[in-house]
Amino acid sequence: MNISRIDLNLLVYLDVLLREQNVTKAADQLGITQPAMSNSLRRLRDLFNDPLLIRTSQGMSPTQRAQELQPQVRAILSNIEKAVQPSAEFKLKESDRVFRIMASDYAESTLIPALLTEIRHIAPNIRLDILTPSDVTFQDVEKGKVDMAINRFDYLPQSFHQVNVWRDNFTCLMSKDNPIKDDFTLDSYLNAHHIWVSKTGMGVGVGMNPTDTQRLGWVDEALAEIDRTRHIRVFTRHYQVAALLAEQPDLIATLPKQAALLHTRHGSLITRPPPFPIVPIELNMAWSPLLHHNPGHTWLRRLIVDVAQAIVEKSKT
């Protein structure tokens, strides 16, 4: 067997699978989807020419071959982890590291300010370099040129680690002078004029077609479920711009709640619950396996999750 043709990430997956003996739990621990983990198990079975894990009345049980492999795989991974650890300890107060984060406009406006405030308090010399999705490719993240990507992803390379930052419901942002604010029903919503905001992905965007419901995203897909459409007057790729446009008394921006709340503090804008159900948006953080064990990177990932949780809790009050 030619070892150069083996995906060494499979050994990481095998290690977790044999420890958890459960595909779903292993996927959650590694921050990948269950289908991706199931696909990895199929590849592992092909690689070792053995079922490795067999479904029994007690759940998934390892084969004899898997039991033999488990200590060997753990030893291999332990040696790799030691080899790739940085030679210098990560010193929080002294570090002047620059962390490069790809963040959507939504993530940048809702999460990054609170994150920066916390970083300046506990690690005053650390700096952030925030990039937009159009600045970055998946290859940049995979090679570790970008520390992490924070966005809503339709697709991620299988090797990436990821964790959910938060789930955010939608709300309708409008001027306090909007004539339908006190009679906000599905009919009045549909008769109004709307601001569309893109679900920003990786790479360069393209122009929008108002009749292409599937590409229009969450809000219009939700309306399509009830066989309705809205009147879109302007398309924008920036949540901040959508909020500014919502100051006009005849326009409505249907935004994730955390983005809308940023603009309701001064009284000119108000929010109303959408008069139809919309699936919440999921903001995720993804990073390369090359950086997974780096102490500084581990610290920042944990801090981002903690800051995000604090933001969500604060918005409930």
Side-chain angles (χ1 to χ4, degrees), residues 105 108-110 197 238-245 255 259 262-263:
D105 175 60
E108 185 175 14
S109 61
T110 57
V197 189
H238 302 281
Y239 286 91
Q240 299 281 36
V241 172
L244 292 173
L245 293 174
L255 307 174
L262 295 175
H263 301 275

Side-chain angles (χ1 to χ4, degrees), residues 78-88 290 292-296 298:
S78 179
N79 287 331
I80 292 175
E81 288 168 359
K82 290 177 183 178
V84 300
Q85 289 297 326
S87 56
L290 295 177
H292 185 64
H293 297 286
N294 180 276
T298 301

Side-chain angles (χ1 to χ4, degrees), residues 14 17-18 23 38 40-55 60-67 69:
L14 179 58
L17 276 167
L18 294 180
V23 171
S38 296
S40 297
L41 178 56
R42 285 193 293 271
R43 293 172 64 194
L44 283 162
R45 285 167 169 166
D46 289 341
L47 177 64
F48 291 104
N49 193 28
D50 187 271
L52 298 175
L53 288 169
I54 298 174
R55 192 175 301 280
M60 299 289 281
S61 298
T63 64
Q64 182 177 351
R65 173 67 167 143
Q67 293 174 15
L69 283 169

